[in-house]
Amino acid sequence: MDITTVGIIGAGTMGNGIAQACAMSGIKVVMVDISEAAVAKGIATVSGSLERLLKKEKITADVKAAALARIQGSTRYDDLKGAQLVIEAATENQELKVKILKQLDALLAPEVIIASNTSSISITKLAAVTTRADKFIGMHFFNPVPMMALVEIIRGLQTSDATHAAVHAMAMALGKTPITVKNAPGFVVNRILVPMINEAFFVLAEGLATAEDIDAGMKLGCNQPIGPLALADMVGLDVCLAVMEVYLSEFGDSKYRACPLLKEMVAAGRLGRKTGQGVYSY
């Protein structure tokens, strides 16, 4: 299947990042959100991102203009009808995603592939709410999407080989490096990453070292570009906690219990960069 038009549900951080990656690769995009303001903000973010690339002389003014021209913003699901692939990039909330997926399933032609950019919800479960479970797949992009090369392609139990092949090829066309993953909580990267962040909170809570020294140790000792605690602040402490709670309930293994300090900080509203205070002050 040739994917020339992609629909994206959600114009937030992930949605507009995916839109930019598609538009820069010559793919037309229809980006849908619930309000005109959200759509306009998403397009403005892409424009700002392309402007920075232009100033750094990574792209020309013509390339910027052509990429922006490929993105159509909309508040109407009906505008998605010309897409061969629709990527759901709404907030990480299962009820919301199910509602969106049912709407898409009813609207789109039977051959259209639906993908979810979820980072934690079961692809098998999401696929089951549609009438095209064989044409449903996970496409987990990483933030910031235009910069990060990785896409986790998650096969639900029902995902067909043809769907996987089409989406794998499309990820390659975006200049990304896809890895194929079976459906399981957290997939591959977050399954390893979030428990590591949680362990860093245990180390901090036990007073083994300061936050700065824990982060310096992991950066210098493991060649990580950012320490786990600074990364937690960037991701959002509430998000880290929610992911750990999913693992604990899904796997039933006590090794996934969230650090009490992480819980305490979330309860205090210290969620990281987005609130100006997490492990560090911003």
Side-chain angles (χ1 to χ4, degrees):
M1 176 195 263
D2 208 15
I3 296 170
T4 55
T5 303
V6 170
I8 298 170
I9 305 292
T13 306
M14 297 308 288
N16 68 57
I18 298 166
Q20 180 178 329
C22 290
M24 288 289 284
S25 304
I27 296 169
K28 278 198 235 159
V29 176
V30 181
M31 183 167 66
V32 176
D33 211 315
I34 49 174
S35 70
E36 294 283 1
V39 173
K41 189 179 174 194
I43 290 173
T45 302
V46 175
S47 183
S49 172
L50 294 174
E51 186 59 33
R52 285 193 293 281
L53 291 174
L54 180 62
K55 281 187 176 147
K56 288 179 186 167
E57 296 181 356
K58 297 265 176 77
I59 60 169
T60 63
D62 287 351
V63 168
K64 179 191 169 184
L68 283 173
R70 289 187 195 106
I71 303 173
Q72 175 194 348
S74 175
T75 55
R76 296 172 56 241
Y77 275 37
D78 271 2
D79 289 336
L80 297 166
K81 283 184 176 168
Q84 294 84 37
L85 165 70
V86 176
I87 302 169
E88 170 276 309
T91 315
E92 198 68 351
N93 171 311
Q94 190 166 323
E95 271 176 49
L96 175 66
K97 287 189 188 290
V98 166
K99 188 181 156 203
I100 290 168
L101 295 174
K102 284 183 170 171
Q103 272 181 276
L104 288 175
D105 189 42
L107 172 82
L108 300 170
E111 67 276 8
V112 178
I113 296 171
I114 302 177
S116 176
N117 178 54
T118 180
S119 55
S120 65
I121 301 167
S122 164
I123 295 301
T124 298
K125 259 188 204 169
L126 292 176
V129 308
T130 74
T131 59
R132 64 184 84 210
D134 61 319
K135 292 187 180 65
F136 192 91
I137 199 162
M139 272 192 103
H140 180 214
F141 290 84
F142 287 76
N143 188 21
V145 178
M147 309 290 291
M148 299 289 272
L150 181 66
V151 181
E152 282 182 316
I153 297 180
I154 305 103
R155 297 188 69 147
L157 200 59
Q158 318 92 316
T159 308
S160 73
D161 289 346
T163 298
H164 172 262
V167 170
H168 192 279
M170 186 261 185
M172 300 273 287
L174 296 185
K176 302 296 184 194
T177 304
I179 62 169
T180 299
V181 181
K182 280 186 194 168
N183 183 59
F187 315 130
V188 167
V189 175
N190 286 337
R191 168 86 175 268
I192 297 166
L193 177 70
V194 183
M196 182 193 76
I197 288 173
N198 191 53
E199 198 61 34
F201 273 94
F202 274 115
V203 171
L204 181 64
E206 288 164 26
L208 297 186
T210 63
E212 289 80 3
D213 281 356
I214 292 166
D215 278 353
M218 291 304 287
K219 277 163 72 175
L220 301 172
C222 299
N223 207 17
Q224 294 181 350
I226 182 172
L229 297 170
L231 182 60
D233 276 354
M234 205 153 100
V235 170
L237 270 54
D238 53 336
V239 175
C240 295
L241 176 59
V243 172
M244 287 305 293
E245 286 172 343
V246 166
Y247 294 170
L248 186 62
S249 74
E250 293 281 332
F251 292 115
D253 187 332
S254 65
K255 74 179 179 182
Y256 295 113
R257 73 200 186 286
C259 174
L261 175 62
L262 176 60
K263 288 182 173 178
E264 183 87 349
M265 288 176 76
V266 171
R270 293 184 177 182
L271 308 183
R273 288 184 184 226
K274 60 187 168 188
T275 58
Q277 175 77 51
V279 177
Y280 301 101
S281 293
Y282 297 91

